[in-house]
Amino acid sequence: MDENNASLGEMPENLAIASKTLAKSIARWTGNENQVNTQIPGLQLNRWPMPTEPTSYTHASSICLIAQGAKRVLLGEETYVYDASRFLISSVDLPVVANILEASEKKPYLGLVLELDLQEISQLIVDSGIPLNRSPQARKGMAVGQLTLPLLGAFQRLMDLLEENENITILAPLIKREIFFRLLTTDQGPRLQQITASGSHSHQISQAIDWLKNNYTSPLRVKELAAEAGMSKSAFHNHFKVMTSMTPLQFQKRLRLNEARRLMLTENLDALTVTYEVGYESPSQFSREYSRLFGAPPLRDINRLRQTASA
């Protein structure tokens, strides 16, 4: 069984106690809100009182912790399930489909997301003298890792800092640095090393992903992207799929369709306008691919989302 699909395990008692403390902190700062962007840059808190329907979005380069509940994330054909005993790490921004598995009014889903600072992590690798993983092969851009007490303790200190607004500017970067260091010492450390190591395939693919994110409306020319990454077209295609579980074309489609859904839902744009806004040339192709990803044509899907939100 793939490590990402392994069954969720029992937590050691000390880790379970620390997790409950973190849950109380998250519950305090979220109140009745589903999502709260805190005063600490890059730290978001989440609270959901019930399981959710699968939602498509671009998952930022980050580490995600759950203090209470469980969540499933789909990346291409890969499935990642995690709870309070494990964390989810994404070394690059990836289009995913995710939903909350375990949550209730009495025991809501409580979690947090901290954006990764790859420049800081790269400097940490140099400063700490951590043995480098020099394998050039690309690794999957997302994984589930075993949560450790030191890592959880560092997150708790970051949460405690929310009570000291005046000290956030000075202390938050120091605690984040500790979190990134603790992360480098877990079983997912080599994954982060590769993404920051210039010349590795993971690093080259991550640069291509950045280009796709910023230019998703442009025509996709894989040969040019491959040349920019210093790879043959076939090698680029293979390494890209290893890292993202998608082909470059599938990746671009997910970015376009996620943005189309956001524009219709939050900007009230109609499907025809959005078709060209996100880079499609054919409204029928857009509608067909939208329905395939979200399970319904654009208008019906957006109406359903609004009705759900109102309920």
Side-chain angles (χ1 to χ4, degrees):
M1 180 178 289
D2 187 277
E3 63 173 344
N4 301 314
N5 302 317
S7 58
L8 302 175
E10 292 294 326
M11 294 180 69
E13 185 178 359
N14 56 355
L15 200 60
I17 293 172
S19 187
K20 287 180 180 178
T21 302
L22 183 63
K24 290 179 181 177
S25 297
I26 296 173
R28 175 188 173 189
W29 291 102
T30 52
N32 292 321
E33 298 292 324
N34 293 138
Q35 294 181 325
V36 173
N37 290 315
T38 70
Q39 291 183 299
I40 297 174
L43 178 65
Q44 183 189 80
L45 308 180
N46 299 296
R47 177 190 181 278
W48 296 90
M50 64 185 70
T52 62
E53 293 294 320
T55 303
S56 181
Y57 62 94
T58 299
H59 187 96
S61 171
S62 58
I63 174 173
C64 305
L65 259 63
I66 295 175
Q68 188 170 272
K71 186 174 184 179
R72 174 173 55 206
V73 177
L74 305 178
L75 174 65
E77 297 179 356
E78 300 285 331
T79 301
Y80 302 84
V81 178
Y82 66 114
D83 65 357
S85 68
R86 303 198 288 174
F87 63 84
L88 180 80
I89 183 172
S90 177
S91 55
V92 289
D93 293 3
L94 296 166
V96 302
V97 177
N99 66 299
I100 306 299
L101 294 176
E102 295 179 11
S104 66
E105 288 287 352
K106 289 186 176 181
K107 294 188 68 174
Y109 170 93
L110 297 168
L112 60 79
V113 180
L114 179 66
E115 293 178 9
L116 296 181
D117 184 337
L118 296 181
Q119 185 174 351
E120 180 67 50
I121 291 171
S122 181
Q123 187 61 50
L124 262 174
I125 293 171
V126 174
D127 294 345
S128 65
I130 293 174
L132 290 176
N133 173 23
R134 299 188 180 276
S135 171
Q137 298 303 310
R139 286 173 175 256
K140 196 73 70 179
M142 181 172 282
V144 170
Q146 198 68 39
L147 187 61
T148 64
L149 193 58
L151 181 59
L152 186 55
F155 269 104
Q156 183 61 61
R157 286 192 293 281
L158 190 65
M159 287 293 300
D160 291 342
L161 200 56
L162 291 174
E163 297 189 38
E164 305 177 45
N165 292 346
E166 69 281 5
N167 296 329
I168 286 177
T169 302
I170 299 299
L171 296 180
L174 300 178
I175 301 176
K176 284 184 184 180
R177 184 175 169 87
E178 179 188 352
I179 288 172
F180 298 147
F181 174 76
R182 299 289 185 188
L183 198 53
L184 283 167
T185 63
T186 68
D187 54 350
Q188 296 306 320
R191 193 177 309 275
L192 286 179
Q193 286 190 27
Q194 273 203 318
I195 205 68
T196 59
S198 179
S200 72
H201 288 150
S202 290
H203 184 262
Q204 292 163 326
I205 296 299
S206 73
Q207 292 181 313
I209 287 173
D210 283 341
W211 187 91
L212 283 169
K213 279 171 46 195
N214 295 323
N215 300 275
Y216 64 89
T217 61
S218 303
L220 178 61
R221 297 182 175 89
V222 177
K223 188 174 182 179
E224 293 179 10
L225 271 179
E228 191 69 26
M231 302 181 199
S232 68
K233 184 177 178 180
S234 60
F236 176 82
H237 191 278
N238 290 338
H239 287 297
F240 193 97
K241 191 160 187 180
V242 166
M243 193 165 183
T244 68
S245 295
M246 286 172 268
T247 65
L249 181 59
Q250 289 171 331
F251 191 96
Q252 184 196 53
K253 283 181 181 179
R254 285 289 182 90
L255 291 177
R256 286 179 169 183
L257 294 172
N258 283 348
E259 178 62 8
R261 198 185 205 195
R262 186 194 69 80
L263 289 171
M264 287 186 288
L265 189 61
T266 63
E267 307 281 335
N268 293 319
L269 297 185
D270 61 84
L272 184 60
T273 301
V274 164
T275 295
Y276 302 108
E277 188 80 14
V278 300
Y280 277 89
E281 296 181 356
S282 166
S284 60
Q285 182 187 3
F286 168 73
S287 182
R288 184 169 58 251
E289 293 183 353
Y290 188 101
S291 299
R292 189 179 300 133
L293 178 60
F294 298 119
L299 182 58
R300 192 192 311 165
D301 175 59
I302 296 302
N303 287 338
R304 178 176 56 84
L305 287 174
R306 286 176 177 154
Q307 289 170 3
T308 301
S310 297

